[in-house]
Amino acid sequence: MTYFLDDIDKKILKILQEDARTPFSKIAKMLNLSESTIHIRIKRLKENGVIKGFYVDVDPEKIGYNVIAFVLIKADPKKYEQILKKIYEFKEVYEIFDVTGEYYALLKVRVKSREELATILDKIGNMEGVTSTYTMFVLRTIKEMKTIDFS
């Protein structure tokens, strides 16, 4: 279900995306509103699932996770859900997308070395029900958005 955002909600979200630690009092001053109004709106945005959480944005490369790959998976349709459940548990898999087309799923994998990538690819490729994989090794990241533009 889509949640309607008015201009105030959008402004609050823009501020929080820039710095999730911004105090309600500062947001209230920035938007010329009361602190209680900001508190109520943020609470409502959280309750409705618009705000999923407040996180620290760690740069994976700064802590050694320099290898990124996208992995496409073909699978036996009868085993597909089981495969997804198993892959979901792999700490090296950061994102899983159920996709259309020739492949069933797209995974974003992030590891510290090519050897670790080979290991996780072997684990995936040897899973019961996985019929084939196709891996794309990322040479460089050109754009990676973590915020939504409300303009």
Side-chain angles (χ1 to χ4, degrees), residues 105-149:
L106 172 66
L107 316 177
K108 181 178 181 181
V109 176
R110 188 182 285 274
V111 292
K112 290 185 174 185
S113 67
R114 291 189 312 262
E115 292 78 21
E116 283 185 31
L117 178 59
T119 300
I120 193 70
L121 292 175
D122 287 343
K123 279 185 190 176
I124 293 168
N126 290 323
M127 290 176 70
E128 186 178 339
V130 172
T131 57
S132 70
T133 63
Y134 181 83
T135 303
M136 294 169 282
F137 187 83
V138 174
L139 299 176
R140 58 191 176 129
T141 301
I142 307 302
K143 181 177 181 178
E144 186 175 48
M145 295 276 302
K146 295 188 181 183
T147 60
I148 295 175
D149 185 354

